[in-house]
Amino acid sequence: MKDYIGQRLEDVEKDLDNQKISYKVVENNHNVDGDVTLVTNQTILQDKTVLLTVGKFLFKLKD
């Protein structure tokens, strides 16, 4: 599986949907309007679902 950490949630969701991989999203901090939602962690669960932990940031984690 690709490394999605640091990528925008919307891009990751699109990629996983295209691959027909199920996923769940968990917020790890409070949402702030205007910030960018980025993936901060990813785990594959026993049922093959990808668990994406996300947070809101004012900056990019990766270029």
Side-chain angles (χ1 to χ4, degrees):
M1 182 173 71
K2 292 181 182 178
D3 180 13
Y4 292 114
I5 296 173
Q7 295 186 26
R8 290 178 174 257
L9 176 61
E10 59 203 30
D11 297 337
V12 174
E13 288 177 319
K14 183 178 178 181
D15 190 49
L16 291 172
D17 286 339
N18 287 340
Q19 295 180 57
K20 300 192 183 332
I21 297 174
S22 62
Y23 60 90
K24 293 180 184 178
V25 177
V26 177
E27 294 276 343
N28 71 353
N29 63 3
H30 299 287
N31 296 338
V32 179
D33 290 339
D35 292 348
V36 177
T37 303
L38 301 176
V39 176
T40 58
N41 198 9
Q42 66 188 47
T43 306
I44 300 176
L45 304 177
Q46 287 181 331
D47 66 356
K48 305 292 186 206
T49 299
V50 176
L51 179 65
L52 300 171
T53 305
V54 299
K56 298 278 188 168
F57 296 90
L58 293 170
F59 55 87
K60 291 182 180 181
L61 294 179
K62 288 184 180 180
D63 289 330

